[in-house]
Every structure is written in structure tokens, then in C-alpha cells.
Amino acid sequence: MKISIIFIFLLSFFVQMKGQQNTYTTFYELDFPVNKQLQKWKSQSALILSSDIGSNLENAVLRINRIYVKDTIPINDITGALQQTLLLPHGTFNMAEIFVTTKALNLVMARLRVSVLDEQEKVLFSDTISILKNAKWNTGVGQFPLQKAKLLFLSLEMEGSPHICPQSLWLDKIEIKLDGKNIDSYPISSLSPLHTFEKSNVIPLSFSNTLLYNNIPQLKDKQIIALGETAHGSTTINNVAFQFIKNQIVNNNCTLVLLEYPLEHILPFNRFIRGDNAYLLEHLMMDIESSSFSSEQMMDFIIWLRDYNKSAKEKVTLMGIDISSSFSRSIRSIFNYCYEINRKKQNLAIDTLCLNLLSTISGKKFSMQLLPAYSDVHNEMSANEYIILKHYLGMTFNLGDDQQRRYQARDSIMYENVTFFKKLLCQSNEKIVVYSHFEHINLKSTFPSLGVLLKNEYQDKYFSIGILINEGNCIFRRIDNIKRSIESLQPGIIGSIEFTLSKLKIPLLYIPIEYIPCQLIYMRNIGNLYLKDQFSILNLCGRLNGIIFINKDEVITKDTLIDGKDEKELLQKNIEKQNDLKRKVEEIKSRFAKIKKECLH
């Protein structure tokens, strides 16, 4: 009898402890744990997270703060957002009360924005809870109707005061009550498994035979096709995307390829694929080492484009549509591009432009009137190159050195670049492939995404395809945002589109979106920062036109330029780049001095 009582007691204690470890608060990190990397909260900018003492001295809280170099120079504003989507418990509820306990210092704005979503991700209700902008702990509260609700979208948004330090936001906890009852008293809900897909509804593809892509009928008549990878850094995803693009070039009259990469970094690549022997591939690839692309796959694709263009009647153009997060990095890249163009002929107008560009980094204003007339540089660059350079300089100077503004403007900038390049470089019968992340090309977002903007502009001429993978490795960034490493992807979980498609046992396939159930599902949706929890809840209906699915890696994930390099090596490389820039500047100045000396004589 005693043994039975003890067993029941131990069993109930175990169940109780297990329940404590799996509450809504802990699962969705509503208590902002400081002893581990956040998994549910996704940062929408480069926020610096650390721990600090809370209102109760025994508790630690999460702090978002502005950091310094040598205690003097701030290098990162805390402007940005932490966001996640929470799946509500099963049942019917009328009202949610949400409490957020925080304190803030030197912020222009801080708030918790809550959107109530239904099964189709339609916003039923949205409102904000303001966070007081003072250094005292405070709990704000908001009420949100829950009729027909399935999801809560939580967005902690903040904006730091320009040029003021210190600035911080401390996060203690978010508490949610459903009809007056704490959400932790309900079991954590999860999505049901999806029904098995029919093989007759999918189109088998091949890693080696690109002609099978021609079995997708829409690829013939869509003018802009956007590929959206659901994980940055996958060699296999890169391989499949570039194979897809090759097929569009060879068989479907694609003459323009646009990558989610800063334009100024891709301009030299376009010179290379157009046959400019002054550009060496090994030097160009150094710019890829900090990108989300596999260097091996990118190198193979660049070589293929160069070989294709040698005999092509209509040559392919490669461009980037993104913007650098750093104004100074952007200007230095344009400087290097112009310097290389001018290496042999040493055009005085281009030398002057190079020095004028660098002067803007130190705070001197740059006027577009300082851009040389095309007649002064036409021997060194084509008319289209000049127009592109003028377009980019206008764009980057308009954005200025506000990193957060650059981040927030990315989708609109990418849209502006796509429409600009289409008008400048494409005939009406020529096609474009855009290769970016799923978040940019999909048709549902909390802000106008690239996909939304392109769909509004081009209607049925726009076609979006997501690239998903079930198993494999990825090249991820470490949380310090400097080092990268190769890590295994989290396998598809039950209820995910990846798990269900893997049951077909087809290595590579395409499935039209009409065969995907119009319901909430799990899908991998990460960038290049490693997370153990890689799946988001969403409804794919209306987001995409189709899916390319990879069951598992078919190529070895490697990165010869990055893998194995430690932080010291990467920092040393940055020092070498700075020294190289100084050398180039001195070289240009010496040419001016020589001209001046000759004029005096």
C-alpha cells in the first residue's frame, strides 16, 4: 500500500514538474529567458541582447541595449522589433488581457503591438500597448477580442533616440489572460498532422536533369518568377535555385537574374560574366564570403553564366536588388568598383568621383552634380552601367547612414530595383528570375513585402515559388554575427509541410499551391542565424503559387572561404581590406599630384 502511495505521489510530482516546464510562458518565451538564445522571438534588426537585474533583485531580466566601442562610439541603435506568432489554446474565448512589464531609457517609442488572426491569417483586430519611456518598471495592459481567433501576432517595437546614449529597453515578462484565466492553465496547443499528398498532384524533378522544370506549365508565360528559400545558407537549396535559373535562361528566354544581395557587390560580377578579363573570380568571391550564398554554388553559377554569355545571342545580366545595411560599406564598395574600372585607363573624372565618394563617409555632403557627365566616362563604362551607378548613388545617399531606416526600407528598395532593372534592361518578351528569401517574395506580410509590391504592379505576370528542404545542413551565422559554422537543420516536425511531403519519398518535386491544404501549418522559416526551433506557423494559401521541395541534401555542404575560420582571421581580413583601400586612395592622390606637377612645368 505504501509503495503504491509513493508511486502515485512520484508520478503526480513528475507530471506537475513536466507541466511546469511546458507552459505557454516558457514555450513562447513570454518570460524572456536570459540563460539561452531566444528561439520564438525573431529579431527584425540587429538587436543586442544581454541580462540585467529586474525589479526583484533575485530575478534577471532581458535587456536590449546600445553597445559601444571603447566606451565612446555607439555602433548599434536599438531601433527594431522582436516578433513571434502564438497559437492560442483549443477552445472558444471572448477576450484576451495582455500585460507587459518593462522599463525603458532614452527611447523615442516603445510598444507591444498585438494582432489577432484567424485560420486564414486575416487580421481580426490589432492594437498596441504603450511602454512608458522612463527608467521605472511599469506594467502596461491591453484588451483584445478573440472571436474566431486562432493566432496572436506579438511585435515588441522600439525606436532609440538619435545620438543619445545610453539607451535601453528592459523586458521582464508578458502575461496573457483568456477570459480572466491565465493562459498557462491551458495545455499548449499544436497543429494536427496534415493529410498525405497524392503523388499524382506533384511534378517530380531532378538534381541533374533541368529539363524536368519544363513540366511546370506556368514557367513559359510568367514574366517575373521569384524563388524564395526558407533557409539561408543551404548548399542544396542554392544548387536547386541555380539549376532552376539555368533552365529559365536556356529554355524560357530569361535575360535578367536578380539576387537578394547588395547591388554594389554584384556589379563586378556582372562585368565578369560579360567577359571583362580585368576581374578575377577568386577576388570577386571574397565578397561572397559574408553573404547567404554557398561560395561553391555561387562560383559554379558565375562560371556557367560567363560561358553561356560567350555564345548567347541575348546575353544574361546579373544584378543585386538589396541595399547594404551600412552606408560606409556601400560607399567603399562603389569606390572599389569604380577603381577597378579605372585601373588601366586612369580616367581623371572617375578618379575624382572615387575621392568624392570617400569624402562622404567622413561627413562631407555629396551632390549628384559631382557625378561626372557620361561623356567624360563613356570609354570606361557603358550607358546602362552609368545609369545604374547614378540610380544606386541616388538611392544610397537618400537612405543615408541610418541603419534601421535601411533595414526597414529593404523590401521597398528591392521592389524599386526590380522595376528599374526591368524597364532598363528587358524587352517585353524577356523574363526575369528573382532569387531571395521566402519572407520577401511571399504575398502576406505585416508590412508590404517585395512579393506584395510586385504582385500589385504586375498582377498575373508575377509568379512566386518557395524552396523548402526537409533534411540537411546549412551554413549558419553564430549569434555574435561574425563567425559562421555548418549545422544540421531541424528535421520536419509533425504538422509541417516538410514532414508530410517527405512521406512521398521523392528526392525533388514541385507541387502547385492549390494542392496544399488551406489551413494553418508548420513550415521552416529562418534566415542565416542558427535556431534550434526553426518552424513557424502560417497558412500557405495566398502566399505562393507553388513549392519546390527537397527531401534531403544531395550535395556536400561546404564553404572553402569560411568554414574553419575563426574570429581573428575574419577581423584580420577586414584590416587587410582597410589597408588596401588606403593604398588605392594614395595611388589616386599620387596621380593627381603628378598631373599638378606636369601642369606647373
Side-chain angles (χ1 to χ4, degrees):
M1 183 69 176
K2 288 183 179 180
I3 295 176
S4 299
I5 293 173
I6 293 172
F7 176 79
I8 293 171
F9 173 79
L10 290 175
L11 180 62
S12 63
F13 177 78
F14 172 79
V15 171
Q16 182 182 8
M17 290 301 295
K18 186 176 180 182
Q20 290 175 354
Q21 295 172 0
N22 292 279
T23 65
Y24 269 87
T25 294
T26 55
F27 184 78
Y28 286 99
E29 302 171 331
L30 302 180
D31 55 349
F32 301 103
V34 298
N35 58 346
K36 65 182 183 71
Q37 180 186 353
L38 295 181
Q39 299 291 319
K40 291 296 183 181
W41 293 98
K42 305 300 188 293
S43 176
Q44 298 305 312
S45 57
L47 298 177
I48 307 300
L49 308 180
S50 61
S51 62
D52 206 343
I53 299 173
S55 54
N56 182 341
L57 298 182
E58 297 179 356
N59 295 333
V61 297
L62 193 69
R63 180 183 181 184
I64 303 172
N65 59 296
R66 190 175 187 178
I67 63 173
Y68 299 78
V69 174
K70 297 181 180 178
D71 298 324
T72 55
I73 306 172
I75 63 170
N76 189 57
D77 286 320
I78 70 167
T79 301
L82 290 174
Q83 299 177 334
Q84 69 157 304
T85 300
L86 180 150
L87 180 64
L88 287 166
H90 296 298
T92 302
F93 305 99
N94 294 313
M95 186 68 65
E97 277 187 297
I98 300 181
F99 306 81
V100 54
T101 302
T102 61
K103 71 174 181 176
L105 178 65
N106 289 329
L107 300 186
V108 174
M109 178 276 296
R111 66 190 180 191
L112 174 64
R113 179 162 57 90
V114 180
S115 298
V116 182
L117 311 178
D118 67 6
E119 178 89 9
Q120 310 303 316
E121 293 185 288
K122 178 183 176 182
V123 177
L124 303 173
F125 182 82
S126 184
D127 202 357
T128 59
I129 303 172
S130 295
I131 294 172
L132 296 183
K133 298 183 285 292
N134 57 51
K136 294 182 179 180
W137 286 102
N138 181 72
T139 299
V141 61
Q143 293 187 325
F144 304 86
L146 294 181
Q147 290 80 6
K148 299 182 180 179
K150 293 292 184 181
L151 304 169
L152 293 179
F153 175 75
L154 307 176
S155 181
L156 271 163
E157 301 167 351
M158 63 218 77
E159 181 181 347
S161 300
H163 314 299
I164 296 179
C165 292
Q167 53 182 248
S168 298
L169 176 65
W170 290 264
L171 304 171
D172 187 357
K173 62 181 177 179
I174 292 176
E175 183 181 358
I176 301 175
K177 292 184 178 181
L178 306 179
D179 292 339
K181 190 175 180 181
N182 194 297
I183 195 171
D184 286 343
S185 62
Y186 297 93
I188 299 172
S189 58
S190 59
L191 299 177
S192 302
L194 298 176
H195 295 295
T196 304
F197 293 108
E198 297 292 334
K199 285 189 175 183
S200 59
N201 293 332
V202 305
I203 298 173
L205 302 173
S206 169
F207 291 100
S208 56
N209 183 6
T210 60
L211 290 176
L212 294 181
Y213 285 105
N214 293 333
N215 293 329
I216 304 174
Q218 294 87 350
L219 301 189
K220 291 287 184 183
D221 57 6
K222 301 300 180 182
Q223 191 165 26
I224 300 177
I225 296 178
L227 300 177
E229 60 186 17
T230 53
H232 281 325
S234 166
T235 301
T236 299
I237 288 180
N238 289 165
N239 179 48
V240 168
F242 289 138
Q243 292 286 62
F244 178 99
I245 295 170
K246 290 176 186 178
N247 181 71
Q248 285 297 102
I249 291 171
V250 174
N251 297 305
N252 290 324
N253 198 29
C254 172
T255 59
L256 179 59
V257 178
L258 303 175
L259 304 179
E260 182 196 331
Y261 203 66
L263 169 59
E264 68 271 26
H265 292 313
I266 296 296
L267 287 172
F269 282 85
N270 189 59
R271 279 244 168 181
F272 175 83
I273 69 169
R274 288 301 188 103
D276 190 336
N277 294 322
Y279 290 85
L280 301 177
L281 185 59
E282 56 265 32
H283 294 158
L284 295 177
M285 291 310 299
M286 293 175 66
D287 279 334
I288 294 298
E289 64 185 41
S290 61
S291 78
S292 56
F293 297 112
S294 159
S295 59
E296 301 294 328
Q297 295 300 317
M298 185 68 172
M299 185 180 295
D300 289 345
F301 180 60
I302 295 299
I303 293 172
W304 183 91
L305 280 176
R306 183 180 173 105
D307 292 341
Y308 176 85
N309 277 342
K310 287 179 181 178
S311 57
K313 183 178 179 181
E314 297 293 337
K315 295 185 184 297
V316 176
T317 300
L318 179 69
M319 286 289 155
I321 57 172
D322 209 348
I323 186 82
S324 287
S325 60
S326 166
F327 173 76
S328 59
R329 189 183 304 123
S330 173
I331 294 303
R332 291 188 183 102
S333 296
I334 289 295
F335 171 93
N336 285 322
Y337 171 66
C338 293
Y339 172 87
E340 293 298 332
I341 288 176
N342 202 34
R343 181 192 288 272
K344 289 185 178 180
K345 296 191 177 181
Q346 299 176 6
N347 181 295
L348 182 62
I350 295 181
D351 275 348
T352 303
L353 173 62
C354 286
L355 295 183
N356 284 336
L357 286 171
L358 289 186
S359 71
T360 64
I361 298 176
S362 58
K364 297 178 182 178
K365 293 184 178 180
F366 180 90
S367 169
M368 290 301 294
Q369 293 178 350
L370 297 179
L371 185 68
Y374 180 61
S375 58
D376 293 334
V377 298
H378 71 278
N379 290 327
E380 281 65 61
M381 64 178 68
S382 69
N384 280 345
E385 278 184 300
Y386 181 83
I387 294 170
I388 291 169
L389 180 61
K390 185 176 181 179
H391 163 78
Y392 181 79
L393 288 176
M395 181 173 62
T396 197
F397 278 99
N398 179 56
L399 289 170
D401 59 0
D402 187 334
Q403 284 187 311
Q404 188 57 28
R405 185 184 177 199
R406 285 172 169 263
Y407 183 90
Q408 291 174 336
R410 282 182 69 202
D411 279 79
S412 60
I413 289 296
M414 287 193 279
Y415 163 74
E416 182 181 335
N417 283 333
V418 173
T419 56
F420 168 79
F421 288 129
K422 181 181 182 299
K423 183 177 180 180
L424 179 68
L425 302 173
C426 287
Q427 301 294 326
S428 59
N429 64 329
E430 294 175 336
K431 296 182 176 62
I432 302 169
V433 174
V434 178
Y435 180 21
S436 182
H437 192 274
F438 163 81
E439 281 292 337
H440 297 299
I441 64 101
N442 93 102
L443 299 179
K444 288 183 183 178
S445 63
T446 54
F447 56 92
S449 66
L450 170 64
V452 170
L453 296 170
L454 289 177
K455 183 68 174 179
N456 290 341
E457 178 72 21
Y458 299 107
Q459 299 297 316
D460 290 340
K461 293 180 180 179
Y462 176 74
F463 195 80
S464 58
I465 299 174
I467 307 180
L468 284 60
I469 186 170
N470 183 47
E471 294 182 62
N473 296 324
C474 262
I475 303 165
F476 286 105
R477 286 197 179 280
R478 300 283 178 86
I479 194 165
D480 58 16
N481 209 32
I482 296 177
K483 299 170 67 175
R484 299 206 295 174
S485 61
I486 297 174
E487 306 282 355
S488 296
L489 289 168
Q490 178 189 2
I493 60 176
I494 295 176
S496 70
I497 184 73
E498 291 88 349
F499 178 84
T500 308
L501 285 172
S502 70
K503 298 305 177 184
L504 294 175
K505 306 295 184 183
I506 300 175
L508 183 66
L509 61 85
Y510 173 82
I511 181 168
I513 199 66
E514 52 262 34
Y515 296 119
I516 305 296
C518 196
Q519 65 184 68
L520 293 175
I521 61 172
Y522 296 113
M523 189 193 78
R524 192 190 319 279
N525 186 18
I526 55 174
N528 56 13
L529 184 65
Y530 180 72
L531 297 171
K532 292 181 180 179
D533 188 352
Q534 299 172 358
F535 289 85
S536 299
I537 299 173
L538 45 76
N539 190 320
L540 278 173
C541 292
R543 285 183 178 267
L544 299 167
N545 297 108
I547 287 173
I548 292 175
F549 173 72
I550 305 163
N551 196 16
K552 62 181 180 179
D553 275 340
E554 290 293 328
V555 294
I556 299 173
T557 300
K558 58 182 179 178
D559 192 319
T560 56
L561 292 177
I562 284 295
D563 189 28
K565 293 189 177 180
D566 60 21
E567 185 175 340
K568 289 183 179 179
E569 288 179 279
L570 296 176
L571 292 175
Q572 180 60 36
K573 180 160 288 189
N574 286 333
I575 293 173
E576 291 172 1
K577 287 181 179 179
Q578 292 173 8
N579 291 335
D580 184 58
L581 181 66
K582 292 178 182 178
R583 178 191 62 78
K584 291 174 179 176
V585 170
E586 291 303 316
E587 180 184 319
I588 294 174
K589 287 181 177 180
S590 68
R591 290 203 287 265
F592 277 106
K594 183 179 179 181
I595 293 172
K596 184 177 180 180
K597 185 177 181 180
E598 290 174 350
C599 290
L600 291 175
H601 289 81

